[in-house]
Amino acid sequence: MKKGANMRIGILTGGGDAPGLNGVIRAVVRTSSIRYGWKVIGIFDGFEGLMGKTNTKELTPWNTRGILFRGGTILGTTNRGNPFAATVASKGKISEKDLSDSVVRNIKRLRLEALIVIGGDGSLNIANRFFNKGIKVIGVPKTIDNDLSATYVTFGFKTAVETATDALDKLHTTAESHHRVIVVEVMGRYAGWIALEAGIAGSADVILIPEIPYDMKQVCDKILERKKSDCKSSIVVVAEGARPIGGEMAVIEKDASGYALRLGGVGNAVAEGIRRSTGMDVRVTVLGHIQRGGSPCASDRILATRYGVKAVELIAEEKFGHMVSYQPPAVTSVPLEKAIQKMKLVAPDSELVAAAESVGVCFGR
Ligand code: F6P
């Protein structure tokens, strides 16, 4: 391992943003500088900043000050820049091209001894492919969906749960005043962690998640039971990836291979079903990217800091091809190859789901 300022490491953020990304960047820069005297080069807009003409900037403790509490990422990000299948336009035609070799050349030209990739399953997959091409990669897990199995929790998740819970608290009072049903669509593509935790914390009456396909009749029975009682209003939390039994996820946009690029619409579909069967006044609130933005909560700032410190330590230990992982109480690491194999989904028979059902929450089953 090179010593002092001769050692240059690159850092990028890929995929959807999450509160806490800046905390990781800040911790990487400070640990590199304070403990090792290394230089950190920030790469803009994920792997796009390494494709073709590079887009980078040296990061110092000075120019990364005051960012711990800021949402988003000072480096920018994209969830469409895969160098192994890059979209290129030539003579008016759009096609896919493997630009990974040019990325490897750029990493060498920038004299980056190691590369820290902060990302979700997509970006970590790309990171692992670069590791297999000889790049000294370290992964840092990130996703508000909390769906990575190799780490106990990802930063951004708790902030998203706080945001969604706060929205539910507010929606309860207006739903009650108008004796309405309010359907709240939250993020959660394959995993319903945000819906489940915010639903429990925000005392939702119905929680619909991708892992438990729902039966509209069960949902409507629950709402009608409440309608007969003193409190006529109901709050339904639905994860964007939830689907009815025998039905499909609500997809807005797919790519050429059929992968769902954008989800949306399940909240409206559920609302329509409730309206039809119960005759009640129903409204829909889609929280969308509000859950991804804003200031990270205190525990996400701490987790992000610990992840950033560990990423630099892994470089010092030359543990390349590894991803930082939180296994309470320790922050440790797992091979990237293993980390990207399995998603962390809500188990329909878990204690958390059972606890919610015990206090009367309906999962549409
Ligand atoms: O991966 C996190 C996530 O929040 C998913 O729940 C959601 O489907 C996706 O990001 C939306 O990302 P974007 O709007 O940036 O494409």
Side-chain angles (χ1 to χ4, degrees), residues 68-355:
L68 179 58
F69 54 84
R70 272 182 58 190
T73 160
I74 59 161
L75 291 175
T77 187
T78 169
N79 40 16
R80 302 207 176 183
N82 178 1
F84 291 90
T87 308
V88 286
S90 162
K91 293 180 192 149
K93 272 196 175 165
I94 306 271
S95 60
E96 257 184 21
K97 210 172 160 193
D98 183 349
L99 295 180
S100 59
D101 285 339
S102 81
V103 169
V104 172
R105 277 194 301 276
N106 280 334
I107 290 173
K108 297 215 164 111
R109 197 179 48 76
L110 290 165
R111 293 183 288 112
L112 302 179
E113 299 289 333
L115 178 67
I116 295 176
V117 176
I118 316 171
D121 55 346
S123 308
L124 294 174
N125 223 302
I126 297 170
N128 191 46
R129 292 180 75 176
F130 277 114
F131 175 65
N132 291 333
K133 274 172 112 50
I135 300 298
K136 294 173 178 170
V137 170
I138 297 293
V140 177
K142 165 264 14 161
T143 157
I144 65 159
D145 288 2
N146 196 31
D147 56 4
L148 292 171
S149 67
T151 193
Y152 179 70
V153 70
T154 43
F155 61 84
F157 169 66
K158 286 195 177 156
T159 303
V161 170
E162 291 295 332
T163 302
T165 303
D166 180 52
L168 292 179
D169 291 349
K170 290 180 170 130
L171 292 168
H172 267 293
T173 57
T174 172
E176 257 179 66
S177 309
H178 289 265
H179 317 294
R180 275 174 177 157
V181 176
I182 297 192
V183 177
V184 190
E185 184 180 310
V186 299
M187 281 189 170
R189 175 171 270 265
Y190 305 112
W193 295 108
I194 296 177
L196 179 60
E197 294 209 0
I200 294 173
S203 58
D205 306 295
V206 177
I207 300 176
L208 305 177
I209 58 175
E211 297 88 338
I212 306 177
Y214 60 86
D215 175 355
M216 251 344 263
K217 174 154 184 343
Q218 299 298 327
V219 174
C220 293
D221 283 353
K222 172 77 188 176
I223 287 164
L224 287 172
E225 178 195 312
R226 288 179 57 80
K227 193 183 173 191
K228 279 193 222 126
S229 74
D230 268 358
C231 175
K232 301 193 172 8
S233 65
S234 286
I235 296 288
V236 178
V237 178
V238 51
E240 61 181 347
R243 60 192 162 86
I245 294 170
E248 297 294 326
M249 276 193 333
V251 178
I252 295 177
E253 189 189 352
K254 288 184 182 172
D255 69 8
S257 67
Y259 173 77
L261 288 171
R262 278 201 297 146
L263 300 183
V266 66
N268 279 310
V270 168
E272 196 41 47
I274 296 171
R275 207 173 280 129
R276 236 185 290 122
S277 301
T278 66
M280 288 184 74
D281 198 12
V282 190
R283 294 290 186 273
V284 180
T285 298
V286 179
L287 289 189
H289 295 80
I290 284 175
Q291 297 157 98
R292 290 234 302 253
S295 197
C297 65
S299 65
D300 277 341
R301 295 180 200 187
I302 296 167
L303 190 62
T305 301
R306 294 175 76 188
Y307 277 10
V309 171
K310 187 68 187 178
V312 179
E313 286 174 352
L314 289 176
I315 295 176
E317 290 162 20
E318 305 197 26
K319 248 179 144 179
F320 300 114
H322 272 237
M323 183 192 87
V324 174
S325 160
Y326 180 39
Q327 309 292 338
V331 174
T332 163
S333 73
V334 286
L336 262 174
E337 189 80 55
K338 226 177 117 200
I340 56 180
Q341 269 166 16
K342 225 174 106 214
M343 297 194 92
K344 180 169 64 196
L345 302 178
V346 174
D349 57 356
S350 62
E351 179 268 337
L352 197 55
V353 172

Side-chain angles (χ1 to χ4, degrees), residues 21-31 64-68 305:
L21 283 169
N22 286 327
V24 181
I25 296 168
R26 174 181 176 271
V28 164
V29 172
R30 287 185 175 226
T31 307
T64 53
R65 76 192 190 283
I67 62 170
L68 179 58
T305 301

